[in-house]
Amino acid sequence: MIEMKEKMKFSTRHKFGLAQENQFLCRHCRKFVFTGGEFSGVRSRNHCPFCLHSRHLDLVEAGDRLSACKGVMKPVGLTRKQTRKKYNPQGGELMLIHMCQDCGKLSINRIARDDDAHLIYEYFQKSFLLTAEMKHLIYSQQIELLGEAEADFVIRRLFGQGGMGLHETWQPEEWASLSPRLAEYPGSV
């Protein structure tokens, strides 16, 4: 059974050109993305470090590349990887929440070392404007959407202990002036 799964994984990766080229063209921003772990620090990259959009490739687990959908997935917020660490229950790895624009499936993806940290923070801020229905959908999938109360945690994870003063510079009235690339944010008011 394991051999069959490995063969399927290889053939699927080969089919999409990932095994040969180690790169893909982002369907959202049209930039080439290198998938090698040397830069990103992740094994199964399927989101763009420039615009953070992804592609609906995985069906059951990260890296299986078995989904038939193949739709574009937009980042809709941030969550933290659930951990059972006894001495750091509020820790955990920061992760992107993506929503498929074709089928509506939600997934979480590890943030890679070369992802645009400022854009990640913009999506975090923008997620405060999600509709109640969108938040309910996220919570119904057992995904913890990080909110304003976790701003210090997010800033520390993205920018280090000092946080570059971001928590003092972003105010709710400034959210409307966020980057134009966030104009079509799914599920916002």
Side-chain angles (χ1 to χ4, degrees), residues 53-73:
H53 283 66
S54 183
R55 187 167 177 204
H56 189 179
L57 297 175
D58 299 334
L59 182 64
V60 178
E61 61 185 38
D64 69 16
R65 306 299 193 244
L66 297 174
S67 174
C69 180
K70 309 297 185 254
V72 173
M73 299 186 84

Side-chain angles (χ1 to χ4, degrees), residues 60 68 116 159:
V60 178
D116 183 337
F159 304 105

Side-chain angles (χ1 to χ4, degrees), residues 6-153:
E6 287 302 315
K7 284 181 182 179
M8 286 174 49
K9 189 184 286 188
F10 175 76
S11 64
T12 305
R13 295 181 126 198
H14 182 72
K15 179 179 175 182
F16 295 108
L18 296 176
Q20 288 181 350
E21 301 172 21
N22 286 334
Q23 65 183 8
F24 64 87
L25 180 66
C26 176
R27 288 192 158 188
H28 182 257
C29 72
R30 311 300 293 166
K31 292 183 180 176
F32 278 100
V33 177
F34 182 69
T35 60
E38 335 37 88
F39 296 113
S40 65
V42 294
R43 202 171 29 101
S44 300
R45 163 168 249 153
N46 66 351
H47 72 270
C48 174
F50 307 109
C51 69
L52 304 177
H53 283 66
S54 183
R55 187 167 177 204
H56 189 179
L57 297 175
D58 299 334
L59 182 64
V60 178
E61 61 185 38
D64 69 16
R65 306 299 193 244
L66 297 174
S67 174
C69 180
K70 309 297 185 254
V72 173
M73 299 186 84
K74 282 189 170 184
V76 294
L78 295 178
T79 188
R80 74 176 100 215
K81 186 175 185 177
Q82 298 302 314
T83 179
R84 293 191 176 125
K85 292 188 177 180
K86 181 178 178 180
Y87 298 107
N88 192 11
Q90 294 303 311
E93 182 179 357
L94 203 56
M95 301 186 75
L96 290 167
I97 304 170
H98 282 104
M99 180 177 184
C100 181
Q101 298 303 286
D102 290 348
C103 72
K105 179 174 172 48
L106 290 170
S107 69
I108 58 174
N109 287 295
R110 294 180 72 188
I111 291 175
R113 158 173 60 220
D114 59 345
D115 287 345
D116 183 337
H118 289 92
L119 186 56
I120 293 169
Y121 191 71
E122 285 184 24
Y123 277 112
F124 169 66
Q125 291 280 328
K126 191 74 170 173
S127 73
F128 302 160
L129 303 175
L130 291 175
T131 63
E133 293 85 7
M134 184 65 155
K135 288 180 181 179
H136 177 73
L137 177 65
I138 292 169
Y139 292 126
S140 72
Q141 303 278 319
Q142 283 80 44
I143 299 172
E144 173 199 9
L145 178 66
L146 298 182
E148 292 179 74
E150 290 86 15
D152 287 338
F153 168 77

